[in-house]
């Protein structure tokens, strides 16, 4: 990283709350700018920002608010944009959270770079959020630098035939890098972005292929993967010499797939607990065998399933923060899928990997909703009925 440039950006960030109002005043006084409203975040200076953060806008979405029917204050986000229609450039954006609370962003443009500065505001304070620079070389993106309270990151781009082909992503003062690679279709529209970390892990962070696919097909593939692939990985890779009382999948509705995986040992609890009393012990981080701690060697990220993860994350991201009906429907679909996974895995013979306790369950839980009791009731009943 360019040390002088990084120091300059860090200094700008430290002084952002002092300079932001002056920049905003200049924009407010610009009579050429037209205000437009949207329920979507339509613009950032980072190339392919919506694809990279996995929040792409549906093709049939109505982008601008033109009447009361286009906006539901109970479920929709509200963005204010100030745009120069002649140059088609955005100079100001406000994510309006109501009650004088907002995230405000100012955009600046030169021949050599684009710049954005963002602050958080409420009636009592103004807080610096981030400063971003997109630098150009020969008219194409060269590097994107972002400075926030969490540090500084940089993406350095490689371009070919007027297309971004790849980038190197690095964190300042951290020994960590990853590399992104872009694929395009015959019409030069982006079709896929894959990131590879320096330790060899691969992540699909955008895939256009299944954007329009029926969610039922996606959920069916995920169910089969979690049962057949993960179940077989447990049989092949896990060897535990003491009794096990549960195999536990944990997830959150923000990104419901993939889950984490934990295996609970009888020695970690009181052996004479009844099934109903085990509910309080279904908490993955408390267990020795936990995929997040790398004490279970299972791979949730083969490339062929990752696009399905993205599809489900997009659904979660597109549900309005206050759209209870849409959230409840999606939450029930996810619950039902994990319930089916657990029921199918209850029939697995895990004797090659471990010995089951008498009150053994394959169970799931949303660790934010703490719905393990709901899962447990269904699964204990299923176990009893099927004499498992």
């Amino acid at each position: 990283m360019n040390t002088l440039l990084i120091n300059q950006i860090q200094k700008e960030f430290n002084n952002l709350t002092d300079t932001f109002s002056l920049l905003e005043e200049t924009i407010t006084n610009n009579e050429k700018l037209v205000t437009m409203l949207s329920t979507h975040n339509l613009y950032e200076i980072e190339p392919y920002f919506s694809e990279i953060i996995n929040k792409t806008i549906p093709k049939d979405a109505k982008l601008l608010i033109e009447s009361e029917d286009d906006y539901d204050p109970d479920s929709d986000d509200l963005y204010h944009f100030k745009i120069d229609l002649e140059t088609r450039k955005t100079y100001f954006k406000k994510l309006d959270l109501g009650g004088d609370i907002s995230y405000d962003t100012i955009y600046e443009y030169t021949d050599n770079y684009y710049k954005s500065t963002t602050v958080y505001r409420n009636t009592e304070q103004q807080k610096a959020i981030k400063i971003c620079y997109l630098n150009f070389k020969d008219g194409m993106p060269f590097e994107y630098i972002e400075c926030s309270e969490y540090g500084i990151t940089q993406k350095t781009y490689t371009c070919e035939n007027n297309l971004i082909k790849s980038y190197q992503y690095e964190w300042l003062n951290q020994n960590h890098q990853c590399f992104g690679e872009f694929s395009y279709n015959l019409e030069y529209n982006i079709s896929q972005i894959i990131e590879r970390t320096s330790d060899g892990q691969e992540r699909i962070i955008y895939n256009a292929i299944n954007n329009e696919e029926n969610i039922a097909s996606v959920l069916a593939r995920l169910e089969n993967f979690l049962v057949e692939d993960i179940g077989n990985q447990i049989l092949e890779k896990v060897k535990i010499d003491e009794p096990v009382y549960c195999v536990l999948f944990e997830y959150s509705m923000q990104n419901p797939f993939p889950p984490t995986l934990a295996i609970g040992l009888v020695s970690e609890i009181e052996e004479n607990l009844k099934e109903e009393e085990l509910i309080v012990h279904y908490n993955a981080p408390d267990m020795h065998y936990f995929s997040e701690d790398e004490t279970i060697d299972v791979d949730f990220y083969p490339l062929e399933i990752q696009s399905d993860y993205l599809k489900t994350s997009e659904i979660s991201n597109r549900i309005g923060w206050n759209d209870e009906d849409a959230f409840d429907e999606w939450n029930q679909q996810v619950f039902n899928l994990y319930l089916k996974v657990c029921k199918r895995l209850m029939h697995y013979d895990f004797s090659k990997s471990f010995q089951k306790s008498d009150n053994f369950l394959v169970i799931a839980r949303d660790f934010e909703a703490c719905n393990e009791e709901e899962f447990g009731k269904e699964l204990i009943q299923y176990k009893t009925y099927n004499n498992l």
Side-chain angles (χ1 to χ4, degrees):
M1 289 186 176
N2 184 322
T3 304
L4 290 176
L5 178 59
I6 294 303
N7 289 340
Q8 172 196 331
I9 295 173
Q10 183 66 62
K11 185 177 180 180
E12 281 189 81
F13 179 78
N14 295 341
N15 296 323
L16 180 55
T17 54
D18 298 326
T19 60
F20 192 88
S21 295
L22 292 175
L23 292 170
E24 185 181 19
E25 185 177 348
T26 301
I27 291 171
T28 302
N29 293 332
N30 188 339
E31 297 180 355
K32 290 180 59 179
L33 301 182
V34 175
T35 299
M36 295 184 175
L37 304 178
S38 178
T39 58
H40 302 283
N41 184 10
L42 302 176
Y43 181 67
E44 292 290 356
I45 63 172
E46 180 181 6
Y48 300 114
F49 84 97
S50 60
E51 289 86 351
I52 288 173
I53 64 172
N54 189 26
K55 290 188 178 180
T56 51
I57 299 171
K59 291 181 179 179
D60 59 350
K62 186 172 177 57
L63 298 183
L64 297 180
I65 300 173
E66 298 174 327
S67 69
E68 292 183 359
D69 295 336
D70 297 332
Y71 174 65
D72 183 349
D74 291 330
S75 59
D76 291 334
D77 291 328
L78 178 59
Y79 289 90
H80 303 246
F81 296 91
K82 288 188 177 294
I83 299 172
D84 185 330
L85 295 181
E86 185 177 328
T87 63
R88 295 183 177 273
K89 288 181 177 177
T90 299
Y91 284 86
F92 182 79
K93 178 179 69 181
K94 176 192 290 289
L95 171 55
D96 190 343
L97 300 176
D100 295 323
I101 302 173
S102 64
Y103 285 90
D104 296 354
T105 303
I106 291 172
Y107 300 96
E108 303 173 57
Y109 305 91
T110 73
D111 292 339
N112 297 320
Y113 66 85
Y114 293 169
K115 176 183 175 184
S116 69
T117 55
T118 302
V119 299
Y120 167 81
R121 284 171 161 166
N122 59 32
T123 53
E124 298 178 353
Q125 67 166 330
Q126 178 173 280
K127 178 183 178 182
I129 298 300
K130 63 181 178 180
I131 291 181
C132 305
Y133 276 88
L134 177 63
N135 296 318
F136 294 90
K137 179 185 289 186
D138 299 325
M140 291 295 294
F142 167 62
E143 62 184 359
Y144 174 78
I145 301 172
E146 180 173 307
C147 177
S148 71
E149 63 180 306
Y150 304 107
I152 295 178
T153 61
Q154 176 176 312
K155 286 182 180 175
T156 304
Y157 300 98
T158 299
C159 299
E160 182 181 314
N161 297 326
N162 293 320
L163 294 173
I164 298 174
K165 299 297 291 183
S166 63
Y167 59 81
Q168 177 176 310
Y169 190 16
E170 53 189 324
W171 287 253
L172 184 65
N173 299 326
Q174 295 186 35
N175 186 25
H176 181 65
Q177 295 181 341
C178 70
F179 306 87
E181 184 175 317
F182 294 81
S183 299
Y184 298 86
N185 61 23
L186 295 177
E187 289 76 36
Y188 303 107
N189 296 316
I190 186 168
S191 58
Q192 191 175 76
I193 305 172
I194 295 180
E195 279 192 351
R196 296 176 173 86
T197 61
S198 51
D199 60 2
Q201 295 182 347
E202 295 184 321
R203 297 287 187 271
I204 297 176
I205 62 173
Y206 175 74
N207 191 339
I209 296 173
N210 71 340
N211 272 357
E212 307 302 323
E213 188 173 7
N214 187 301
I215 186 58
S217 300
V218 173
L219 294 179
R221 280 197 300 270
L222 287 168
E223 177 189 337
N224 287 331
F225 170 76
L226 292 174
V227 173
E228 297 168 7
D229 195 290
I230 298 302
N232 288 334
Q233 286 192 59
I234 293 173
L235 289 174
E236 293 171 7
K237 300 179 180 180
V238 175
K239 305 297 176 187
I240 299 174
D241 295 327
E242 53 181 301
V244 164
Y245 72 92
C246 77
V247 171
L248 171 63
F249 294 100
E250 274 197 349
Y251 66 94
S252 79
M253 287 305 297
Q254 183 175 358
N255 292 291
F257 303 97
T260 59
L261 178 70
I263 296 177
L265 305 178
V266 171
S267 61
E268 296 172 331
I269 59 172
E270 297 178 35
E271 291 190 39
N272 60 349
L273 286 179
K274 298 178 181 179
E275 286 178 330
E276 294 80 3
E277 298 173 316
L278 283 170
I279 295 297
V280 297
H281 295 282
Y282 296 132
N283 185 37
D286 293 338
M287 300 176 186
H288 171 74
Y289 289 98
F290 181 36
S291 57
E292 288 287 280
D293 294 338
E294 299 183 353
T295 49
I296 302 178
D297 180 20
V298 291
D299 179 13
F300 279 106
Y301 288 96
L303 285 178
E304 58 268 20
I305 201 67
Q306 290 187 34
S307 295
D308 293 328
Y309 295 158
L310 291 180
K311 180 69 173 180
T312 59
S313 294
E314 287 172 13
I315 293 173
S316 294
N317 290 331
R318 288 174 184 169
I319 294 175
W321 65 272
N322 203 26
D323 192 340
E324 293 183 5
D325 290 341
F327 176 81
D328 288 344
E329 180 181 354
W330 178 228
N331 181 61
Q332 191 62 48
Q333 285 181 280
V334 172
F335 180 90
N336 290 342
L337 184 147
Y338 276 109
L339 189 61
K340 287 189 286 186
V341 168
C342 293
K343 287 179 177 179
R344 289 175 63 184
L345 283 173
M346 288 285 288
H347 293 272
Y348 260 53
D349 179 4
F350 287 111
S351 57
K352 287 176 55 179
S353 298
F354 53 76
Q355 175 189 344
K356 297 178 182 178
S357 69
D358 291 339
N359 46 23
F360 173 82
L361 281 182
V362 181
I363 192 168
R365 72 187 290 259
D366 176 348
F367 66 81
E368 293 176 324
C370 297
N371 58 354
E372 55 269 25
E373 188 167 351
E374 189 177 354
F375 274 108
K377 181 180 178 180
E378 293 267 4
L379 290 163
I380 291 171
Q381 185 180 31
Y382 181 81
K383 174 185 173 182
T384 303
Y385 179 82
N386 289 276
N387 195 28
L388 297 173

